[in-house]
Amino acid sequence: MVQRKWFTLLLAALLALSLVACGGAGQTTATTTQAAATTAAAAQATTAAAAAEAEGDGGEADADDHMVISIAVWDIGNAFPNDEVDPMKQMFYDMFNITIDPMAITWGDASERYQVWASSDSMPDVAGGLAIVGSGQYYQWIEDGVVRAIPDDLSAYPHVEGFMRLGEVTAYQMDGKDYILPRMTYNDPRYWCMDRGVYYRKDWLANVGLELPQSTEEFINMLIAFTEQDPDGNGVKDTVGLTTADFYFFSQIFANFGPHGSFWINMDGQWVNAMAEPVNIDLLDMIRTAYKAGAVDPDFAAHVGSDPADEMFASGRSGVHIRQMSPKHANTRLRQWKDFQSDLDFFECVGFLPMWDIPGKEMTMFAERAYWSETYISSYVDDDKCARILSIYDWMYSDEGMRFMAFGFEGEDYEYDADGQIVRLLPMKESGNMMGLNEKYPFASGMPSLACWTGDMIQYDDPSIDPQILEMCIAERDYRLANWKVPAIDWEVAAINVPEKQETTYQLSQLYNVIIMDDSDTPTADLWESYMKVELEAGGYYRMIDAVNAAAREMGK
């Protein structure tokens, strides 16, 4: 294809130039700046040559007109500090003949900013980092014309086309039209199985004289021992059994309790949200019992995000931590550990807690769409600019695009060893840690996660991840894939749009927290009947279930 040929020619020329002009990892700022200028000049020449060749081949040159494209994605502001020289940014600009107008958002204010932009007709051309597909806001934006449809013919963008044909993307079409570009997380969605799990202190378990728990009761006893028996041996009662952010408790963390996460599955002939069903009572009772015993961080419900719980575990104040276990996240636990407890060997002290068997329950892994969050294109974007945006996404979805966004310039920032493995060449800092790519090129701060979660997509081949972490994670991943069940999620049912779904008002995590922190003697099963079911009824859950199931029957589900 002419367009792909153009990109291939340009990318090859730019990377070859960076290899010749940029040299090794320890170069001075002046040398890097000179290399950037050389790269930019060569890119402009290559752009012109590629465009001419495209026209000669009978195609339409993709880089005829320079365009300014406004983009919003989490923390994009960090990628464009004061217009300083940035070879990565310049290469990107020259490759697509664009300039980016960054519209800054953060995790905390993204929702509010998007609402303001949508209501004031000032949406960015590219609205990234949104996780609203299937929600009332999603359907309202389409109805109100806030976002435009993705073109039907995507043959010029093979990587985009491939991802757009996923069932969990097409399920959310409206009148046969797609409106999202998926922010891919894994090529194989089964790898989500490592996005939930339990870290524990192996050394503490030995210190309190216990074995790995083989039952729910033994797990609770372990948490109590980590709280009461001075597991770190400092003579002070300053530890707690378990820490987490509240939303993790019922997010399919404990595979041994069967399917209980927030996904649509069929239970007893009815489509339900598993997280809102009585199958969670036993798990809820386990957490509540541990909380009443003082073995759960008493402030877990007040934590904003996961940072407080992460720090408690890394600094040796908790013995069990609920968190993602994929290599990228496990490596973060290792780095944090070294920040707080560099005198203790992480791998001797920390492990992945095996799940004990529960009679009548199947080990069920966490599951999600192959993407988490998505990009929308403003309805004010015309066809020509839309084509340029799709070209950008097609390249960012590709192996070469992800490689560049993750590792930088071959020959300067990374190289291949004799076995074909990537070796990073970034300089070391005084702390002993390698410089991050985003420290050298600010462009690498927010942009690599625009089209896909590049760090997640490449994490099993990322040389910056500690080899022992990779070994742990691969072994655990392979065990889970071989022994745990994938929940039978139906994405078409999950995508059913009925008014009753948009009218619900309940917040499951808040409802669960009320029961967890209930210190009465009332059995948890009774609290479910007297509190949870009443609140779900008032919040419209059961009306939604009836409406979704009626629509599902019409679909033959």
Side-chain angles (χ1 to χ4, degrees):
M1 263 172 282
V2 171
Q3 190 179 56
R4 294 301 303 160
K5 188 174 184 180
W6 185 88
F7 281 130
T8 303
L9 281 170
L10 179 57
L11 185 62
L14 288 171
L15 293 181
L17 262 171
S18 71
L19 178 61
V20 173
C22 296
Q27 297 199 4
T28 64
T29 302
T31 305
T32 303
T33 303
Q34 181 182 5
T38 304
T39 299
Q44 291 167 357
T46 307
T47 299
E53 180 177 343
E55 289 178 341
D57 285 346
E60 181 180 347
D62 191 57
D64 284 345
D65 302 314
H66 181 270
M67 292 183 180
V68 176
I69 298 177
S70 57
I71 297 178
V73 70
W74 299 329
D75 297 326
I76 193 173
N78 294 327
F80 297 88
N82 303 320
D83 292 326
E84 66 182 59
V85 174
D86 185 329
M88 278 191 77
K89 179 182 71 175
Q90 194 59 53
M91 175 175 166
F92 196 87
Y93 279 7
D94 292 330
M95 181 182 297
F96 297 104
N97 195 13
I98 63 167
T99 299
I100 292 174
D101 175 17
M103 298 177 67
I105 57 174
T106 66
W107 288 72
D109 67 9
S111 178
E112 181 181 352
R113 283 183 177 270
Y114 274 126
Q115 293 284 24
V116 170
W117 290 334
S119 62
S120 60
D121 293 330
S122 54
M123 283 286 283
D125 298 327
V126 176
L130 280 156
I132 62 170
V133 67
S135 70
Q137 182 180 354
Y138 169 75
Y139 295 111
Q140 194 65 52
W141 276 11
I142 295 172
E143 182 179 333
D144 292 346
V146 174
V147 295
R148 62 166 289 162
I150 307 300
D152 294 332
D153 183 5
L154 296 173
S155 59
Y157 319 102
H159 299 101
V160 173
E161 184 174 44
F163 289 143
M164 295 297 289
R165 298 298 169 253
L166 293 171
E168 54 260 54
V169 175
T170 60
Y172 294 95
Q173 290 180 342
M174 287 290 289
D175 298 324
K177 297 287 186 181
D178 290 299
Y179 287 87
I180 70 168
L181 291 168
R183 198 182 193 191
M184 296 300 297
T185 308
Y186 294 110
N187 281 314
D188 184 345
R190 296 181 306 153
Y191 281 17
W192 277 108
C193 71
M194 289 295 288
D195 232 58
R196 298 291 186 270
V198 181
Y199 296 83
Y200 79 106
R201 289 291 298 268
K202 296 188 295 185
D203 56 335
W204 284 15
L205 191 66
N207 291 347
V208 299
L210 294 177
E211 302 291 335
L212 284 168
Q214 301 300 312
S215 67
T216 299
E217 181 181 5
E218 290 182 6
F219 176 70
I220 295 171
N221 290 338
M222 179 183 74
L223 298 183
I224 294 173
F226 284 174
T227 306
E228 301 289 342
Q229 296 183 25
D230 189 23
D232 58 358
N234 68 353
V236 180
K237 189 176 184 297
D238 58 355
T239 59
V240 69
L242 185 150
T243 54
T244 186
D246 70 315
F247 58 86
Y248 276 124
F249 273 137
F250 301 92
S251 184
Q252 205 58 44
I253 290 289
F254 293 93
N256 48 348
F257 281 83
H260 58 271
S262 184
F263 36 65
W264 285 85
I265 60 175
N266 195 297
M267 288 185 172
D268 300 323
Q270 187 176 43
W271 294 102
V272 296
N273 180 344
M275 187 182 281
E277 292 298 307
V279 293
N280 286 279
I281 291 175
D282 289 344
L283 175 57
L284 180 59
D285 186 64
M286 179 184 78
I287 303 299
R288 181 182 176 223
T289 301
Y291 184 86
K292 288 174 69 175
V296 176
D297 172 18
D299 298 321
F300 80 91
H303 292 330
V304 178
S306 299
D307 289 348
D310 290 344
E311 184 175 319
M312 287 184 68
F313 187 74
S315 61
R317 289 181 287 146
S318 66
V320 172
H321 186 36
I322 291 174
R323 203 62 161 90
Q324 292 102 321
M325 279 185 171
S326 58
K328 182 181 79 171
H329 294 285
N331 205 55
T332 299
R333 306 284 80 73
L334 171 62
R335 289 200 307 269
Q336 290 177 331
W337 180 276
K338 290 180 177 179
D339 289 340
F340 287 99
Q341 303 187 89
S342 58
D343 57 321
L344 296 177
D345 187 293
F346 177 86
F347 298 100
E348 291 182 359
C349 296
V350 178
F352 296 157
L353 184 71
M355 294 291 101
W356 59 97
D357 289 325
I358 296 178
K361 302 284 188 180
E362 287 187 283
M363 293 284 183
T364 306
M365 66 179 67
F366 176 76
E368 182 56 273
R369 295 180 288 253
Y371 60 96
W372 186 83
S373 63
E374 59 275 357
T375 293
Y376 297 84
I377 300 177
S378 168
S379 59
Y380 288 104
V381 168
D382 62 23
D383 290 345
D384 289 339
K385 183 177 281 192
C386 183
R388 191 76 57 89
I389 292 168
L390 290 173
S391 297
I392 292 170
Y393 270 68
D394 196 60
W395 181 75
M396 295 185 79
Y397 281 154
S398 71
D399 289 343
E400 64 264 35
M402 283 190 282
R403 187 164 54 246
F404 177 70
M405 298 303 286
F407 303 124
F409 293 94
E410 184 179 355
E412 179 178 358
D413 304 313
Y414 74 95
E415 64 183 6
Y416 290 96
D417 64 17
D419 297 322
Q421 300 299 308
I422 288 177
V423 178
R424 285 187 181 269
L425 301 176
L426 293 168
M428 302 300 292
K429 300 187 292 186
E430 290 184 4
S431 64
N433 295 321
M434 181 177 286
M435 173 186 284
L437 192 68
N438 63 332
E439 295 177 276
K440 184 176 182 181
Y441 310 112
F443 189 74
S445 294
M447 289 299 291
S449 61
L450 173 63
C452 56
W453 292 98
T454 302
D456 293 273
M457 294 282 278
I458 56 92
Q459 62 185 315
Y460 285 97
D461 299 304
D462 187 346
S464 67
I465 292 176
D466 186 281
Q468 286 181 268
I469 289 289
L470 273 175
E471 183 179 352
M472 285 176 61
C473 292
I474 290 172
E476 180 70 15
R477 178 201 67 191
D478 291 348
Y479 175 83
R480 293 181 178 192
L481 292 179
N483 295 282
W484 292 8
K485 176 184 176 182
V486 179
I489 304 171
D490 189 303
W491 296 114
E492 290 186 343
V493 171
I496 288 174
N497 179 31
V498 290
E500 290 82 358
K501 183 183 283 188
Q502 315 308 335
E503 292 166 359
T504 57
T505 59
Y506 61 88
Q507 294 289 332
L508 281 173
S509 62
Q510 294 177 11
L511 299 181
Y512 277 121
N513 289 345
V514 169
I515 295 180
I516 290 170
M517 293 184 284
D518 184 290
D519 61 0
S520 72
D521 294 329
T522 305
T524 302
D526 291 348
L527 288 175
W528 184 279
E529 292 294 323
S530 64
Y531 175 74
M532 180 67 80
K533 287 182 68 173
V534 171
E535 293 297 320
L536 289 175
E537 176 67 44
Y541 174 71
Y542 299 111
R543 292 191 298 276
M544 174 188 68
I545 291 299
D546 289 342
V548 167
N549 277 273
R553 285 192 293 271
E554 292 181 4
M555 297 167 59
K557 298 287 186 178

